[in-house]
Amino acid sequence: MKTNSTWLMASADKIYTFETLQPVLQQWRAEDQKLVFTNGCFDLLHLGHVDYLEKARALGDKLILGLNTDRSIRCLKGEERPLQDEMARARIMASLLFVDAVVLFDEETPYNLIKLVQPDILVKGDDYAPENIVGYDIVKAKGGDVKTVELVKGYSTSNIVAKIKRTINN
């Protein structure tokens, strides 16, 4: 059994800042690991998220997840969100075996984080056209790939929240 695998790491140890991620990225690159990057809010973990992240990780050797901060989610989705605070979401996402690193970003988009990571593969769901994915220019300029993966239909945090609200109001 390998003792240096990220699947043996405590979830909190897979949460990085822009600064602490740098040496990890350097190590992974030195090991010739193929780096995959994706991002999102991941407010309530559901089947759609798990399926999406498994597919993203299967495209490379290490999956780096950019996670929106609470402030950036409020800017994107309104004052009722997020439902869980950023550290709870970060720990939950880092606990997934196929997520190798979680990095919070406070901007509206992960553009600066993508610039830092310089992933080999940038991934989003198939509700995006690859050329419209934030960071497309960065990844393509370095010879990387921008891919979309098929999403599981009918699963979204917004749908779950709406169902809970309907149940409470009935």
Side-chain angles (χ1 to χ4, degrees), residues 58-69:
L59 297 171
D61 301 309
K62 299 290 181 182
L63 178 60
I64 299 113
L65 175 70
L67 188 66
N68 292 76
T69 62

Side-chain angles (χ1 to χ4, degrees), residues 43-147:
D43 202 0
L44 288 178
L45 185 63
H46 55 71
L47 175 64
H49 290 145
V50 172
D51 185 77
Y52 166 71
L53 292 169
E54 280 182 327
K55 289 173 182 172
R57 176 57 163 73
L59 297 171
D61 301 309
K62 299 290 181 182
L63 178 60
I64 299 113
L65 175 70
L67 188 66
N68 292 76
T69 62
D70 294 348
R71 190 200 67 76
S72 70
I73 291 175
R74 279 191 295 277
C75 289
L76 292 169
K77 298 186 179 273
E79 287 300 316
E80 289 187 355
R81 301 277 294 274
L83 302 172
Q84 300 186 84
D85 68 68
E86 60 197 42
M87 286 317 297
R89 292 181 292 111
R91 284 286 303 277
I92 291 166
M93 300 314 294
S95 73
L96 298 171
L97 296 177
F98 38 82
V99 173
D100 298 289
V102 175
V103 185
L104 290 160
F105 68 94
D106 199 40
E107 299 83 15
E108 200 168 306
T109 74
Y111 192 81
N112 290 326
L113 181 54
I114 294 167
K115 202 182 312 185
L116 171 79
V117 172
Q118 294 287 315
D120 300 298
I121 301 173
L122 176 61
V123 181
K124 288 296 279 181
D126 64 356
D127 52 342
Y128 285 85
E131 63 276 4
N132 294 334
I133 296 172
V134 169
Y136 177 92
D137 58 329
I138 296 167
V139 175
K140 287 307 228 177
K142 72 173 286 274
D145 288 325
V146 179
K147 298 182 180 272

